[in-house]
Amino acid sequence: MAQTKTKNFYGWKIVVCCFLISMFAMGIISNTISFYMKPVCETLGCSYVQFSFINVVSCITSMLAAILLAPKIEGGNVRMIMLVSAAAAGLGFGLQGMATHIWHLYVLFGITNLGIGGLTSLPINYLITNWFKDKKGLATSLAFSGAGIGGIFWSPAVSAMIGKLGWRNSLFLSGAAVVIVSVLACLFIRKTPAEMGQEPYTNRDSQPKETQKTVRVPAWEGVTRKTAVASPAFWVFVLSLICMGMLAAGVMTQVPTYFSEIGLSYAGIMALFSGVSILGNILGGMIFDKLGLMGGMAFTCICNALALVCLLISGKNTFFAYLFAAAIGMGMVISMLGPPLMTSGLFGTKEYARIYSISNAFFLAGCMIGPMLSSGLRTATGSYTAAWSVYIAISICCFVFAFLAHGLSRSFKNKGYTDNI
């Protein structure tokens, strides 16, 4: 049996490559697109609402990319798919600098996010699942922490470029950076440990010692997408995913406005959130590895519920606003780790990419619903009090649905589902 716990384990190089991809592709495209709103609208004569429609385009194209590419990622050349996607993402983003009408941005940002869909979330989670049996949470956290770290660097850099070079040149340079670094990182990607003569990373200290009398039972690989989608476990899991998406997008998009309404300066609070988020992205994976799937879900959901309680009373004492930032920074790691780890934990790795692509679509649906729910409740009631109260309930439901789905999924292993018939 190949040694998996070694300094030369290639899986950690995969993590470094994924870190660089998330730092440049996600760090630039996801974190800085809002910086272009004002200058683009002034140049093209469009409204903020028209510009913001690119967020809808982003969600829809990301869903389509994941669903369409999942079978090809499982059965094809992952490295080639990621290389082509890196080129599409970077070129699509950069060429927006040539736009003369708002619909040009919609088309090009759609191409950009088709590339992002084939470069980041789905393939990175698929690679981590292939390369790691243990330490999967830590590996996932490290791979995606590049997006947060990249955001800290790229936010002031892009702001400066827009001011000095103009928004068109800023887009050209940003797109070029995405293409160059992402393509170089993709060249070192390997789909499975077998390609390097290795096995998935396993913490051997946690494995039972084999003896001559030990009867080795084949490891459970998981179920097919058809079996998963036909099960009650999947649809209960979907409810949890929608809650995760609503939490991920429905709270932080409204917080600056809320703090302005209650008279708090949010610059320092948001800076604390950014710092804790980066730490949370790394520690979150370790927490999931240490406490297990349900332990990690419980921890993050409790952090989110506590944060929202603090948000409700932050108008009375600024201390609670900072406590909110710290708690939500740890709790929001659920949006990064929850969908991929729950997918593999409930349904195995047999057709992971195909199942995850469907799961992620429901998560993104929650991301679209969240901001509309928050702003809708604010408009209907005149304050955010009702919205934060609803999100406390959503945090609790997120864990409850995950817990129920986890229990229902045990029937796959108990009944010996392998889908090899």
Side-chain angles (χ1 to χ4, degrees):
M1 181 179 290
Q3 179 69 15
T4 61
K5 197 174 180 182
T6 172
K7 293 181 180 179
N8 296 320
F9 178 58
Y10 197 81
W12 295 116
K13 296 181 177 67
I14 297 292
V15 171
V16 171
C17 291
C18 293
F19 172 89
L20 291 172
I21 290 170
S22 66
M23 181 178 182
F24 279 77
M26 298 175 73
I28 292 176
I29 294 171
S30 300
N31 293 336
T32 68
I33 186 63
S34 61
F35 290 24
Y36 295 95
M37 180 185 290
K38 187 174 185 293
V40 167
C41 290
E42 290 175 350
T43 302
L44 302 186
C46 59
S47 68
Y48 286 178
V49 173
Q50 288 175 307
F51 183 90
S52 298
F53 186 72
I54 63 175
N55 293 319
V56 177
V57 174
S58 172
C59 288
I60 293 174
T61 51
S62 294
M63 288 181 193
L64 288 174
I67 294 171
L68 294 175
L69 290 175
K72 298 184 182 298
I73 286 175
E74 283 190 338
N77 188 328
V78 173
R79 182 167 65 248
M80 183 57 64
I81 291 172
M82 294 180 73
L83 282 168
V84 173
S85 297
L91 289 173
F93 193 72
L95 289 176
Q96 290 180 96
M98 299 177 65
T100 56
H101 298 281
I102 188 63
W103 68 266
H104 295 167
L105 291 179
Y106 297 156
V107 173
L108 289 168
F109 203 64
I111 294 172
T112 299
N113 278 277
L114 285 173
I116 286 292
L119 177 65
T120 57
S121 183
L122 175 60
I124 288 177
N125 281 309
Y126 176 72
L127 289 168
I128 297 299
T129 299
N130 283 350
W131 279 89
F132 292 85
K133 286 186 177 178
D134 292 321
K135 303 293 183 183
K136 190 182 298 182
L138 176 61
T140 304
S141 293
L142 293 174
F144 284 103
S145 64
I149 294 173
I152 292 177
F153 171 77
W154 288 114
S155 293
V158 168
S159 180
M161 284 196 295
I162 292 174
K164 294 181 179 180
L165 304 176
W167 65 270
R168 294 185 186 277
N169 289 326
S170 177
L171 281 167
F172 292 147
L173 292 173
S174 296
V178 171
V179 172
I180 293 169
V181 175
S182 298
V183 166
L184 288 175
C186 289
L187 293 175
F188 296 92
I189 293 295
R190 299 295 182 270
K191 183 175 182 178
T192 64
E195 293 182 25
M196 301 300 296
Q198 298 181 347
E199 291 186 348
Y201 185 96
T202 302
N203 183 1
R204 293 186 178 277
D205 293 337
S206 67
Q207 303 300 313
K209 295 182 179 180
E210 293 185 8
T211 66
Q212 292 181 345
K213 295 183 178 180
T214 301
V215 178
R216 298 189 64 184
V217 179
W220 182 71
E221 293 183 1
V223 297
T224 61
R225 181 174 63 182
K226 180 179 179 181
T227 299
V229 172
S231 69
F234 180 82
W235 294 104
V236 176
F237 175 43
V238 161
L239 296 176
S240 181
L241 286 167
I242 293 173
C243 290
M244 287 184 214
M246 292 171 70
L247 283 167
V251 177
M252 294 310 300
T253 56
Q254 310 296 315
V255 165
T257 303
Y258 170 68
F259 282 147
S260 296
E261 288 183 354
I262 63 176
L264 289 181
S265 174
Y266 58 83
I269 299 169
M270 297 307 290
L272 176 62
F273 165 72
S274 297
V276 175
S277 293
I278 294 173
L279 181 64
N281 286 340
I282 298 173
L283 293 180
M286 299 172 67
I287 290 170
F288 269 83
D289 288 334
K290 185 69 174 179
L291 301 181
L293 191 56
M294 286 299 98
M297 288 293 295
F299 174 81
T300 52
C301 289
I302 289 172
C303 284
N304 286 325
L306 174 63
L308 288 158
V309 170
C310 291
L311 198 58
L312 276 172
I313 58 179
S314 57
K316 299 177 181 179
N317 191 321
T318 307
F319 167 77
F320 290 106
Y322 285 94
L323 185 57
F324 155 78
I328 203 77
M330 292 298 297
M332 281 300 164
V333 73
I334 194 175
S335 63
M336 177 182 69
L337 296 178
L341 296 184
M342 284 289 292
T343 299
S344 60
L346 270 57
F347 308 109
T349 59
K350 185 178 182 64
E351 289 193 358
Y352 173 82
R354 298 174 191 237
I355 299 173
Y356 177 74
S357 67
I358 301 295
S359 303
N360 196 51
F362 287 102
F363 172 77
L364 291 173
C367 290
M368 288 192 288
I369 295 170
M372 292 187 290
L373 175 64
S374 303
S375 58
L377 289 171
R378 164 65 182 83
T379 301
T381 63
S383 74
Y384 279 101
T385 300
W388 305 148
S389 300
V390 168
Y391 276 100
I392 291 173
I394 290 173
S395 298
I396 296 171
C397 289
C398 181
F399 174 75
V400 171
F401 290 137
F403 181 79
L404 292 174
H406 186 258
L408 291 169
S409 72
R410 291 176 182 172
S411 64
F412 294 135
K413 294 181 181 180
N414 294 339
K415 293 179 181 179
Y417 271 103
T418 60
D419 288 320
N420 289 325
I421 300 174

